[in-house]
Amino acid sequence: GGAAAMGGGLSAAERAAHTAVLLVLGGGVGSSVAVGGVIHRGSRGMIEGGHMIVQPGGPPCGCGQRGCLEALASGTAIAAAASKRGLGALEARQVAELASEASTLGDGARGWAPPLPDKERRRLEVLHCHEARGVMGDAADALATACINVCRVLDPHVIVLAGGVATPELVAAVDAKFKALAWTILPDAVHIRRASAGADAGVLGAAAAAAGAAGG
């Protein structure tokens, strides 16, 4: 049903084999796999892409493992990482916005001293922007590693990133890091993209049901 939205614009033969993976980045990381427009649920309904280990020995996860994707790239994890870097209590979306602002400041922004009366306050704002960019860069690294692993196991046609954390800037960073990590023996044909509310509304609902809304 709704999962077929991932295969829109394909021929009947292409849709029959079309494989799509959805990662929903929210308070956790929900996941779903659709093959031929049908959600694959596994033997126990335990398709939990958010708990693939992408950083062995990394931060602890509520599931009992360490270094899970959810412990590195969920909204909760991003907010916690931002707090550790001295950014205070921010939601993941706010961290992403700060990181996006940092990209307009240039790499030399740490030493920038504008002719403003409140120069010190502005300097701290710039530092915070760069710390936020570091936090989002770490999340992008974890997501890119997850996408590499997904490709090696499932060889999907498309990986869709959805949820409040999946900003255009984060998806672009994940795509760039994915390409830097990818093998060189042949090109990866997978398309990594951000979910659109219209085209992917059905599959988002199916993924929420399949993943138990873990990505909320």
Side-chain angles (χ1 to χ4, degrees):
M6 293 284 209
L10 300 176
S11 69
E14 288 172 326
R15 277 197 301 273
H18 190 261
T19 302
V21 174
L22 179 71
L23 296 175
V24 185
L25 312 177
V29 177
S31 65
S32 185
V33 178
V35 181
V38 177
I39 295 292
H40 173 67
R41 299 179 186 278
S43 64
R44 296 178 298 149
M46 291 290 289
I47 303 296
E48 291 285 351
H51 295 287
M52 71 176 91
I53 296 173
V54 294
Q55 187 185 102
C61 182
C63 74
Q65 299 178 143
R66 299 187 71 94
C68 290
L69 179 61
E70 186 168 296
L72 291 157
S74 66
T76 303
I78 289 171
S83 179
K84 287 181 180 178
R85 289 189 183 227
L87 296 178
L90 297 177
E91 295 182 357
R93 171 71 68 167
Q94 294 171 306
V95 179
E97 289 171 355
L98 275 175
S100 177
E101 182 180 340
S103 66
T104 69
L105 298 174
D107 291 334
R110 284 185 181 274
W112 182 51
L116 297 173
D118 50 352
K119 186 164 55 179
E120 179 61 18
R121 179 183 62 80
R122 180 55 179 162
R123 185 185 72 82
L124 288 174
E125 288 176 354
V126 171
L127 287 173
H128 285 174
C129 285
H130 281 274
E131 291 297 342
R133 184 163 65 174
V135 170
M136 296 309 295
D138 290 345
D141 284 342
L143 282 162
T145 301
C147 288
I148 289 285
N149 292 335
V150 163
C151 286
R152 299 301 163 259
V153 175
L154 296 174
D155 190 25
H157 295 85
V158 62
I159 298 175
V160 178
L161 304 182
V165 181
T167 63
E169 294 81 8
L170 178 63
V171 175
V174 171
D175 188 47
K177 289 174 184 292
F178 174 89
K179 289 172 180 173
L181 290 171
W183 58 14
T184 58
I185 57 173
L186 75 168
D188 272 306
V190 67
H191 180 44
I192 297 174
R193 66 177 176 84
R194 183 170 177 252
S196 60
D200 297 323
V203 77
L204 289 176

